[in-house]
Amino acid sequence: MEFIGNKSIYFIVSFLFIMNCGNNNQKVYKQFDSIDISTTQFSQEDESAWNGGPGFKVYAEQLGWETNNNFVSIGSPKAIKGDTITLVGEEVMPPTFRNIGKETRSQFLSIIEALAYEPLLIYNYETSKFEPELATHWRVGKDSLTFFFRIDPRAKWSDGRDVTANDIVASYKLRIDKGHGDPTTYKGWEESFYEPVSETKYIVSIKSKKKDWGNFKSIAEAIVYPSYYLNKIDGATFLEKYQYEMMPGTGPYRIDMNLTSQENNGIVVFNRRKDYWAIDEPRNIGINNFDVIKFIFIDDDNQLIERFFTGDYDIYLVSRAQWWNERFTAEEYPQIKRGLTQRLKVFNFKPTGVSGLAFNTKEWPFDDIEVRKAFSHIWNLDKLMDKLFFNEYVATNSYWPWSKYEHPDNPIQDYNPDKALQLLNEAGWQKNPDDKWLSKEEKIFEVDMYTYAGWDRIHNSLVNDLEAIGIKLNLVVIQNPFEKFIQKTFTMHYGGWTGRPVPDPDQMLHSKYADDIDVTNATSMANKTIDSLIEAYETNWNLDERAQIIQQIDSIATREYHYVFGWAAPYGWRGLYQNRFGMPERGLSYGSNRYHKHWGGWANHILLWWSDPEKKVRLMRARKSDTISLPIEDENKDYWNKLSK
């Protein structure tokens, strides 16, 4: 008989099952099929540990559970807690605080969620390893389909209640509920997973419906919500009830509804939780440093700039290359010359997503691949980047540009109007000698493109390039062209998607989303070969082979010409900040541009920076006297030596 533990009182497991029949809180969880628990004896304390309670780590290693204790916080141990940081959230306040359901395609909503809630695990893109968050341990079953997580018994919701396996179950049920109106979410989750099983209070299992290495990551990184709230509502009720409310969270911040307001374009305020359950964990050293985080919303460029230099908020993302090179300089702004405002570029490993001119391939005229192909030779991007962008950016030519996933032989999308006109002629578009515009079947080639106010400075060059070969492009200024894009009520749209360190081609390129709205497959890609390759990618556990598959997908997708690829920055972030902050050596973190412990970008300052009391005092003095200047710091933060590569 095998004994586990060294207690003096033992119970035979089979006896426990009989004695505790109907009492799920006391049952002994069968950890593995390969372990014969019928011959295993437990003390009462051993039983609790075996089931995931305190003392679990005694059994974890011998039972094959994984964890990761070999990591350090990406924050600086020099960080100082306290004070307030104010940022601009977006142009306008979002129509909801939810991050599930319709109307949730917003980076700001991801920030809100990351401040208030947590996932089971964190994936560190710098080390390519998982790290504990709500869960301390995890394992993959022998079938490669079933995933197990052990929840940290110390994890608490902001109202003091325990985080349990039931919370993972309820969070799954919400995601697959069609009532919330987001098909990308409910389709993806229902097609990928069976309903999770609450094995014990602290152990949950989730079975994948197919072998997909990415499913483990999806479950591990999914935000967890409290079951004792979700069990009272369905998806439709969730939309209504939590439009501008939030359930208790486990994260380091809580929204302050007394200060949050929708009036005057809104303000959202978060307070740092002094009772945050993981506040003293080593992984949180030097992060979550601000006591108060404020988000304001400004939809006017002039107001955005004016209010930054008057000190209404702290960090300004410089999105225009011309402004960076000609406007926000020491010659133009005394605050920059005197060091009150600092310039900064952070060179990290931010993945670049697909961007450019996107076509609605379900509608005329871009339902014709020859027309789409012609457009890939019409826009003179080299001239645009030289004259307008000061060569700050680099042209892209892939769905996964500048990464190991880009296919090296993608078709070149260069400026070649003669070739473009030839393709259009072959597609039936002709121009009579006295006509200005190309026509086909007595209909001139005229299209509308929704655009943001002020973007005509970029798109006017496209208007001129198209006009030169006989295409009339009308720029239609509206407040939110992106909404038209994902609702598929557009003809042509300039924009794109943020990059991901690990590709997920399914939602953007699989045909199952081709006819849906509010999805990332906004161009309606539907290619059976791509579908098959996506399935091969998802079931392949070899990293190098997966990269080769993505390259194949990239090659095929680029030849469908759903995008005329645009341009992207070779750095992760460029902007201005008030000279009162401390920051770690890396400036921002390693990866992409969403708020996440191991992703860097426009909101990563919230996580890693802090208010330096001495700098703040010096800044206040300098603002009161025109004779005081502050040290000007190096504007290039290149922790990973990317500039030398």
Side-chain angles (χ1 to χ4, degrees):
M1 183 176 292
E2 179 185 3
F3 292 89
I4 297 180
N6 57 2
K7 306 299 179 181
S8 59
I9 303 176
Y10 291 92
F11 295 86
I12 298 176
V13 173
S14 57
F15 178 71
L16 282 171
F17 276 122
I18 296 173
M19 294 298 294
N20 295 311
C21 183
N23 187 346
N24 290 332
N25 293 329
Q26 296 298 319
K27 74 176 182 179
V28 177
Y29 166 54
K30 185 179 181 182
Q31 297 269 355
F32 284 97
D33 291 338
S34 61
I35 295 178
D36 184 6
I37 63 172
S38 65
T39 61
T40 304
Q41 293 183 343
F42 291 86
S43 73
Q44 290 177 331
E45 292 182 10
D46 286 332
E47 180 188 335
S48 174
W50 178 279
N51 285 343
F56 174 80
K57 64 181 181 180
V58 172
Y59 302 111
E61 184 174 355
Q62 62 180 315
L63 294 175
W65 288 81
E66 296 182 50
T67 190
N68 181 4
N69 297 316
N70 298 319
F71 64 91
V72 295
S73 172
I74 61 172
S76 170
K78 299 178 182 178
I80 300 169
K81 304 290 186 184
D83 212 344
T84 298
I85 186 171
T86 303
L87 298 171
V88 173
E90 289 179 337
E91 291 85 1
V92 295
M93 194 170 183
T96 180
F97 287 166
R98 294 177 285 99
N99 203 33
I100 289 180
K102 62 181 182 180
E103 301 178 317
T104 56
R105 297 289 188 252
S106 165
Q107 290 188 22
F108 177 67
L109 295 179
S110 297
I111 297 170
I112 287 183
E113 189 174 59
L115 289 171
Y117 302 99
E118 293 174 305
L120 290 165
L121 304 177
I122 293 291
Y123 187 77
N124 187 325
Y125 291 103
E126 188 172 351
T127 64
S128 298
K129 294 182 179 179
F130 285 101
E131 298 172 1
E133 192 80 350
L134 287 176
T136 63
H137 295 75
W138 56 92
R139 70 177 179 84
V140 179
K142 285 189 173 183
D143 59 4
S144 296
L145 291 170
T146 310
F147 313 132
F148 299 85
F149 299 91
R150 184 261 186 165
I151 298 167
D152 194 328
R154 301 171 300 166
K156 296 286 189 292
W157 296 102
S158 57
D159 59 6
R161 297 183 64 164
D162 293 342
V163 179
T164 71
N166 290 332
D167 300 320
I168 286 78
V169 177
S171 298
Y172 167 84
K173 289 181 177 179
L174 172 64
R175 288 186 169 95
I176 67 167
D177 191 323
K178 295 181 180 179
H180 62 60
D182 183 353
T184 300
T185 299
Y186 63 68
K187 277 188 177 182
W189 281 79
E190 190 169 37
E191 291 175 0
S192 298
F193 305 102
Y194 295 101
E195 183 176 314
V197 177
S198 176
E199 303 285 0
T200 71
K201 180 177 181 180
Y202 297 118
I203 294 177
V204 63
S205 67
I206 307 101
K207 187 170 184 178
S208 179
K209 291 184 178 179
K210 62 179 180 178
K211 291 185 179 180
D212 183 349
W213 61 270
N215 280 356
F216 178 85
K217 186 172 180 293
S218 296
I219 284 289
E221 292 188 316
I223 291 296
V224 180
Y225 304 101
S227 57
Y228 52 96
Y229 275 71
L230 294 183
N231 289 343
K232 300 175 183 178
I233 58 176
D234 59 14
T237 310
F238 174 76
L239 289 186
E240 179 181 354
K241 183 172 179 59
Y242 294 105
Q243 194 75 354
Y244 279 112
E245 291 185 28
M246 296 186 73
M247 296 173 285
T250 62
Y253 287 88
R254 179 192 290 114
I255 195 168
D256 188 334
M257 292 306 300
N258 293 322
L259 296 178
T260 295
S261 172
Q262 299 178 52
E263 297 181 1
N264 300 319
N265 205 24
I267 181 173
V268 178
V269 180
F270 278 85
N271 295 325
R272 189 164 64 91
R273 291 177 50 203
K274 303 299 174 60
D275 61 347
Y276 170 45
W277 73 273
I279 196 169
D280 295 322
E281 286 296 291
R283 65 176 179 266
N284 290 324
I285 292 174
I287 66 175
N288 303 318
N289 301 311
F290 298 103
D291 281 348
V292 179
I293 300 172
K294 293 182 181 178
F295 297 100
I296 60 177
F297 302 86
I298 304 173
D299 62 357
D300 179 83
D301 280 342
N302 292 327
Q303 284 289 317
L304 197 67
I305 296 165
E306 180 180 340
R307 292 183 64 179
F308 172 76
F309 281 104
T310 57
D312 285 354
Y313 65 98
D314 294 305
I315 297 171
Y316 174 72
L317 171 66
V318 180
S319 59
R320 298 188 185 183
Q322 181 182 11
W323 287 2
W324 180 257
N325 286 274
E326 293 185 344
R327 183 171 186 175
F328 298 123
T329 64
E331 291 74 21
E332 296 295 325
Y333 282 91
Q335 297 97 318
I336 296 176
K337 183 176 182 179
R338 293 170 50 212
L340 282 66
T341 296
Q342 299 282 334
R343 289 162 50 100
L344 179 64
K345 279 184 184 177
V346 178
F347 291 81
N348 56 6
F349 288 84
K350 170 190 170 185
T352 302
V354 60
S355 66
L357 287 175
F359 303 120
N360 187 340
T361 64
K362 291 283 189 178
E363 302 292 339
W364 177 94
F366 298 115
D367 54 351
D368 186 339
I369 190 173
E370 295 303 316
V371 172
R372 303 197 300 267
K373 187 176 181 180
F375 267 64
S376 71
H377 300 292
I378 288 178
W379 201 0
N380 193 343
L381 291 184
D382 291 338
K383 181 179 178 181
L384 181 66
M385 288 191 287
D386 181 48
K387 300 299 182 183
L388 187 62
F389 297 151
F390 296 83
N391 295 308
E392 285 271 319
Y393 309 132
V394 181
T396 64
N397 197 49
S398 167
Y399 280 79
W400 296 275
W402 313 330
S403 73
K404 63 182 178 182
Y405 303 105
E406 177 176 351
H407 196 283
D409 295 323
N410 286 343
I412 301 301
Q413 298 189 1
D414 58 344
Y415 178 60
N416 190 335
D418 291 337
K419 185 174 182 178
L421 188 56
Q422 177 187 346
L423 289 167
L424 289 169
N425 291 158
E426 292 173 356
W429 291 96
Q430 302 290 333
K431 185 192 297 185
N432 296 322
D434 297 329
D435 291 343
K436 182 177 182 179
W437 309 112
L438 291 167
S439 63
K440 181 179 180 180
E441 298 176 355
E442 300 183 354
K443 182 177 183 180
I444 69 169
F445 202 139
E446 180 178 9
V447 294
D448 295 340
M449 184 171 79
Y450 299 113
T451 186
Y452 295 95
W455 280 36
D456 56 333
R457 66 187 179 87
I458 298 174
H459 297 322
N460 279 338
S461 67
L462 176 60
V463 172
N464 295 333
D465 290 338
L466 288 172
E467 182 176 343
I469 67 168
I471 297 174
K472 185 178 182 181
L473 175 63
N474 305 311
L475 300 179
V476 182
V477 176
I478 61 173
Q479 187 176 47
N480 192 359
F482 180 75
E483 187 67 22
K484 295 284 188 180
F485 179 50
I486 61 172
Q487 293 296 316
K488 299 187 178 180
T489 56
F490 74 105
T491 303
M492 185 169 67
H493 170 80
Y494 187 85
W497 304 94
T498 56
R500 301 182 61 159
V502 179
D504 181 11
D506 179 72
Q507 293 187 3
M508 179 174 289
L509 298 175
H510 202 288
S511 64
K512 63 188 175 186
Y513 299 111
D515 296 324
D516 292 332
I517 63 171
D518 205 21
V519 294
T520 50
N521 188 357
T523 64
S524 299
M525 179 70 76
N527 183 296
K528 294 302 181 183
T529 303
I530 290 178
D531 292 349
S532 298
L533 286 169
I534 289 173
E535 292 165 10
Y537 172 76
E538 292 173 342
T539 57
N540 192 313
W541 295 74
N542 183 288
L543 181 62
D544 293 334
E545 292 177 4
R546 289 203 304 268
Q548 293 175 11
I549 294 172
I550 290 293
Q551 284 193 10
Q552 294 178 58
I553 293 173
D554 193 37
S555 176
I556 297 170
T558 55
R559 286 170 170 80
E560 291 283 342
Y561 295 96
H562 282 221
Y563 283 85
V564 173
F565 296 117
W567 55 86
Y571 42 82
W573 187 83
R574 177 185 66 192
L576 311 173
Y577 65 93
Q578 312 292 359
N579 191 3
R580 68 176 183 90
F581 296 107
M583 66 185 74
E585 290 183 31
R586 61 182 64 202
L588 302 176
S589 61
Y590 182 86
S592 75
N593 63 347
R594 291 179 63 191
Y595 175 81
H596 192 287
K597 286 190 176 180
H598 297 287
W599 302 356
W602 71 275
N604 204 234
H605 316 78
I606 299 172
L607 186 75
L608 296 175
W609 290 18
W610 63 92
S611 181
D612 186 314
E614 294 183 3
K615 281 188 172 183
K616 184 176 181 179
V617 170
R618 291 197 294 266
L619 178 61
M620 293 175 65
R621 289 174 179 170
R623 283 175 172 169
K624 295 177 181 179
S625 173
D626 294 339
T627 63
I628 299 177
S629 295
L630 303 176
I632 297 176
E633 300 175 1
D634 187 351
E635 71 175 45
N636 289 328
K637 184 75 69 171
D638 188 26
Y639 178 85
W640 288 277
N641 297 317
K642 287 206 69 177
L643 289 176
S644 63
K645 296 181 179 180

